[in-house]
Each structure stands twice: as C-alpha cells, then as structure tokens.
Amino acid sequence: NNLCSKAEFTLYMRDFGCRVVHNLWAELDPRTEAHPVGRGQITFKDFDPVTSEAFDTLESMLIEKQGGAKEGWRRYFELPENKPCVDEAKFVASCKRLGFQDDAKNRKLFRALLAAPGRKYITYEELWRSTNKIGTTAEVATSLPPPLNPRPKPLVRKGKERPGQSSASEIANKPDAAPEAAVKAMPKTEAAPQEPSASKVVPEA
C-alpha cells in the first residue's frame, strides 16, 4: 500500500548494516505544523522522488493499455516467453513498446527497482506487493492445499460366511431389516461343557 512505518524502516536498514537510523528517518519524515511529531509513515516518493515518479508513470501506462497493472505487466513484460522473471534487456525493450523511448532512463529505472544488490531480474510480485504490516496484498489464495498425509481408513476384517447367507453388516444396513435378523445371521458359538458341581456328587456308602 506504498507505506512504510518507522519500525519497518529501522528493520530494513539494519538488514543493510545501518544501525542508527534516527537522523535518516527525521529527514524523511520531518516535523511540521500539521504533524508536530511527524506522520509516522513514509512513502516511496519520500525516499526516492525520481524513481517514484517514473514508476507511477509506468503503472499508469499499464493500466491505460490493459486495464490493470497485472494484466499490462503480463502482456508487455512476461509474454510471449511466459517468464515471470524480467531481465534488463527485456525490461528496456518492453518499456519502448509502451512508449518510453529513452533507453538510458529505462535502464536506470530497472536498476532502481531491483529487490536486492546483485539481482539480475525483477518480477511483478516484487513491484506490486504490500510491505506494510497493516496493508493487504491484492492476490490472496482462495483455496487450501490438500493434507500431506491423509488419515488412512480403518481396516474391517471380514469373517467367513456360509454359501447363500448374508453377513450381519449387510442385514443391519438394510432399511427394512429387523434387529433380530442381524442377530440370527451372526455365527453361533458352542458353549463349553460344564463340570458337575461338588454339591450334586453323592458319595458312595
């Protein structure tokens, strides 16, 4: 959303090795009558007005040509190769197709938009992503990926059935099956023989 807070700015500057950023922040976000303690946020224009103006012009041209920055970026910078990573040569040529004929300014804009030193390409996500913690990105995933390890189904052990006899589960699942039908279908178990109790044994005279 083109906004950067002081906490975020301090974190980013420490990544580049800058430990004391108070004076730099005070220069980018000065105290004025309208903002006695500063605005608390800065924009890309506050940090680099020249690059910000050139980037805004590029974005406006993409919207004018294709109705949106994403559609225009894909049409002029990713196609026909269908590569999301755009190097300097492709960027300069695409800018000329859009109407920016100054190759030197196009190269300068490309190098200013690189996400990190040493990078050789830029992408759409690097240019139009939201870096502010209170902002939201334009593209949000609408579906969740499937689970990596789905829970396996429990195994059901089937016993041996007599020919022409339905299993107890099949009978129980029928809508018009009576409860006693499922009981009759279950295999019968023979009772173990019982020993006579000591009270019934009559000793011989």
Side-chain angles (χ1 to χ4, degrees):
N1 59 357
N2 197 29
L3 294 175
C4 181
S5 65
K6 184 177 181 180
E8 292 169 332
F9 182 80
T10 302
L11 181 62
Y12 299 148
M13 289 296 101
R14 287 179 178 177
D15 290 341
F16 286 101
C18 182
R19 299 297 178 181
V20 182
V21 298
H22 179 74
N23 295 336
L24 180 58
W25 178 263
E27 183 178 350
L28 295 173
D29 185 20
R31 299 180 179 181
T32 61
E33 295 182 359
H35 303 280
V37 295
R39 295 170 299 173
Q41 292 177 324
I42 60 174
T43 64
F44 188 32
K45 186 177 181 179
D46 298 325
F47 189 78
D48 190 346
V50 177
T51 304
S52 177
E53 182 179 359
F55 180 75
D56 290 343
T57 304
L58 173 63
E59 183 180 31
S60 301
M61 187 63 69
L62 292 176
I63 296 175
E64 179 182 347
K65 295 286 186 179
Q66 295 294 322
K70 185 174 183 178
E71 294 78 6
W73 180 266
R74 177 165 177 77
R75 171 67 177 79
Y76 285 93
F77 291 89
E78 295 181 358
L79 297 178
E81 296 86 356
N82 198 24
K83 294 182 179 180
C85 300
V86 180
D87 58 12
E88 182 173 340
K90 176 67 175 179
F91 183 85
V92 172
S94 299
C95 287
K96 292 188 70 172
R97 291 175 57 196
L98 282 170
F100 304 101
Q101 302 300 326
D102 194 334
D103 290 348
K105 290 185 177 180
N106 295 336
R107 292 191 183 94
K108 184 178 180 180
L109 176 60
F110 174 84
R111 296 169 185 175
L113 294 177
L114 290 173
R119 291 287 292 272
K120 301 298 183 182
Y121 60 86
I122 57 179
T123 64
Y124 172 84
E125 286 74 15
E126 292 174 348
L127 299 180
W128 279 277
R129 67 181 178 180
S130 174
T131 57
N132 187 274
K133 60 183 178 180
I134 64 174
T136 57
T137 54
E139 292 80 18
V140 180
T142 57
S143 60
L144 296 177
L148 297 179
N149 297 319
R151 181 177 298 177
K153 297 181 179 180
L155 298 177
V156 179
R157 300 182 63 181
K158 298 182 179 180
K160 295 183 179 180
E161 301 174 0
R162 297 178 181 176
Q165 182 182 8
S166 301
S167 62
S169 59
E170 292 177 354
I171 297 176
N173 292 331
K174 292 182 180 180
D176 55 346
E180 55 270 18
V183 178
K184 292 180 180 180
M186 297 180 63
K188 297 180 179 181
T189 56
E190 297 180 358
Q194 298 181 356
E195 297 181 358
S197 60
S199 59
K200 293 184 181 181
V201 177
V202 179
E204 296 180 356

